[in-house]
Amino acid sequence: MLYEDRYKLILTACQDIRRHREQLAKPGLASQLLHALDPDVPNDALLSHIVAESLLRRIDHTLLSGRNLYLQPGKRSQIDLFDLLRRAIPAVPQGYAIANQYQLHSLRAARTPALLEIGIGKGTQVLALLAELARDPGAVERLRIFALDPNVAVLEESTAAIERLGPALPFAVEVFPLPRLVETCDDDEFARFAALAEGTLTINAAYTLHHTVRRDAESRTRLLSRLRSLRPRVFTLVEPNSDHDTEHLTRRVHHCWQHFATVFELVDRSDASPDEKFAIKEGFFGREVRDILGTCDALRCERHEPLESWLLRLKKARFEPHEKIDLDFDDLPDYCEATNSRGLVRLSYRGVPIVAVFAYTGTEAE
């Protein structure tokens, strides 16, 4: 376990919280708080500060509700920080690239394919997909893109970027923006997706489904079943691999510590500047940790799941693993690992899977 001494102290305090002995937990947590945070703070002290602060806020009930971090105003928006970390954590852009390779395999086979992009953000992944499709369009003559995102400003930005690119493409592109969370789409909207897709649908959800509202343990399985009902030729799902969805606080702290300690070290391997590395760790990941550990359990936003949980959900939703295709891992440096199996690619660092990429199909016989 990375930073084991600090981990043991934090875990002991966490166990006291679970036993309702908050007064015993407070001194140990308070001992981990720093008076100032800056790029010179070592990883173990920074992570311990963030986790301890989150647990203290939980004890004092000063943060009782959560909101989607990508919709919150701040000194630097979460989506801008995510763009920064994509350059520092190789598994993130490689996850996009692997998903795109599966999508291209599906899109090129149809004359008028359709793409449902769940959480399009600024459109980085879709724009890269269009550039690759332009180089080898296969049978494509027209592509319809259903672009979902709850952030109206970034949805407008991504739609405009696609439309600007359109005239340079060797096929027509139609964009249908929808400022919505996928779980709030009604039956009429799903019926519209199916009708416009004309049986050629590809679905992509990259780093988005762990934000879906959790009404109960099977909410995401039901959502996957609804997506399966659209009978996609390929459904690509890209998700971080860690168990932050559990209601068991000690287990959540354990997985939180293991995941973020690993990615902190991974960030340090990048060529980002010290200020950028600090912004990623304290800004982006710090906000995630504070949500995971310091927000009311019923309302927190960041609910990552382990890859095994997603595999089970996909099976319950009656998705089938996509056939293996030749994949390019050129964007992955030699200090990271990729394990490719049917329907699943694990992207790891020091033997710890950081990101999982799933490629499944919903076109099997009913």
Side-chain angles (χ1 to χ4, degrees):
M1 176 61 65
L2 289 167
Y3 324 138
E4 187 169 0
D5 289 343
R6 291 182 185 271
Y7 166 78
K8 288 179 178 178
L9 188 154
I10 292 289
L11 207 65
T12 297
C14 182
Q15 289 165 343
D16 284 333
I17 293 171
R18 289 191 62 246
R19 296 174 183 132
H20 305 289
R21 299 190 297 184
E22 288 84 356
Q23 292 305 314
L24 290 178
K26 282 185 178 182
L29 294 174
S31 72
Q32 299 304 297
L33 298 183
L34 303 173
H35 295 296
L37 298 178
D38 59 53
D40 294 327
V41 174
N43 285 342
D44 62 333
L46 179 59
L47 180 60
S48 189
H49 168 92
I50 294 169
V51 171
E53 179 194 52
S54 303
L55 291 171
L56 282 170
R57 296 172 83 182
R58 182 186 188 88
I59 292 171
D60 291 339
H61 305 294
T62 57
L63 187 58
L64 297 178
S65 64
R67 292 181 296 162
N68 191 316
L69 298 183
Y70 287 81
L71 301 178
Q72 293 188 45
K75 294 179 180 178
R76 193 167 185 174
S77 75
Q78 196 76 348
I79 195 165
D80 286 340
L81 287 170
F82 186 76
D83 287 342
L84 184 61
L85 83 84
R86 284 191 300 109
R87 302 196 301 272
I89 300 181
V92 173
Q94 185 68 72
Y96 283 134
I98 293 168
N100 277 3
Q101 290 173 65
Y102 275 103
Q103 292 168 49
L104 289 166
H105 181 79
S106 170
L107 296 173
R108 286 174 175 146
R111 186 174 61 84
T112 58
L115 170 66
L116 172 57
E117 183 70 19
I118 300 172
I120 192 171
K122 293 185 177 181
T124 303
Q125 183 179 7
V126 172
L127 292 171
L129 178 77
L130 291 173
E132 287 296 323
L133 191 58
R135 281 189 274 272
D136 178 12
V140 178
E141 296 176 6
R142 184 204 67 213
L143 173 63
R144 286 175 168 156
I145 301 174
F146 308 112
L148 271 64
D149 203 285
N151 189 319
V152 174
V154 298
L155 181 59
E156 291 174 349
E157 182 180 338
S158 58
T159 300
I162 294 169
E163 290 175 343
R164 285 195 301 270
L165 183 63
L169 299 173
F171 47 83
V173 176
E174 296 177 82
V175 187
F176 301 87
L178 189 61
R180 199 90 83 248
L181 294 166
V182 65
E183 63 266 35
T184 66
C185 290
D186 58 27
D187 290 342
D188 289 341
E189 286 163 332
F190 267 72
R192 182 168 178 255
F193 298 151
L196 290 175
E198 300 173 339
T200 65
L201 187 63
T202 291
I203 302 177
N204 180 57
Y207 308 106
T208 59
L209 290 196
H210 67 267
H211 292 135
T212 52
V213 176
R214 187 183 188 277
R215 292 181 172 84
D216 57 61
E218 294 303 314
S219 295
R220 289 177 182 166
T221 302
R222 290 194 297 273
L223 174 59
L224 290 173
S225 293
R226 291 190 77 199
L227 295 173
R228 162 68 174 77
S229 72
L230 296 173
R231 297 179 62 81
R233 292 186 173 188
V234 63
F235 169 52
T236 48
L237 172 66
V238 187
E239 282 291 332
N241 175 55
S242 194
D243 190 4
H244 304 150
D245 192 46
T246 175
E247 299 306 307
H248 192 287
L249 182 61
T250 306
R251 188 177 303 134
R252 199 188 320 158
V253 168
H254 168 79
H255 286 281
C256 193
W257 190 276
Q258 180 185 51
H259 181 76
F260 291 108
T262 303
V263 296
F264 276 20
E265 288 208 350
L266 191 50
V267 168
D268 285 342
R269 298 290 297 264
S270 75
D271 60 3
S273 71
D275 285 344
E276 289 173 332
K277 291 175 182 177
F278 179 70
I280 293 167
K281 296 173 191 174
E282 201 283 328
F284 185 88
F285 290 126
R287 290 177 192 171
E288 289 202 335
V289 173
R290 292 176 180 103
D291 179 85
I292 293 166
L293 301 178
T295 301
C296 172
D297 288 347
L299 298 173
R300 57 193 175 87
C301 168
E302 299 296 326
R303 290 181 172 271
H304 308 100
E305 297 192 48
L307 63 90
E308 295 83 2
S309 176
W310 288 112
L311 287 171
L312 180 59
R313 291 190 187 281
L314 287 163
K315 183 174 180 62
K316 286 182 176 179
R318 299 179 56 242
F319 274 104
E320 293 290 335
H322 194 281
E323 63 181 352
K324 284 187 72 172
I325 65 173
D326 291 332
L327 293 172
D328 179 359
F329 297 100
D330 287 349
D331 293 335
L332 203 63
D334 57 10
Y335 56 82
C336 294
E337 308 100 39
T339 306
N340 184 12
S341 56
R342 186 167 180 254
L344 172 65
V345 176
R346 297 173 176 86
L347 300 172
S348 306
Y349 176 67
R350 295 187 183 277
V352 179
I354 301 298
V355 169
V357 185
F358 306 84
Y360 275 63
T361 180
T363 59
E364 298 297 319
E366 296 292 343

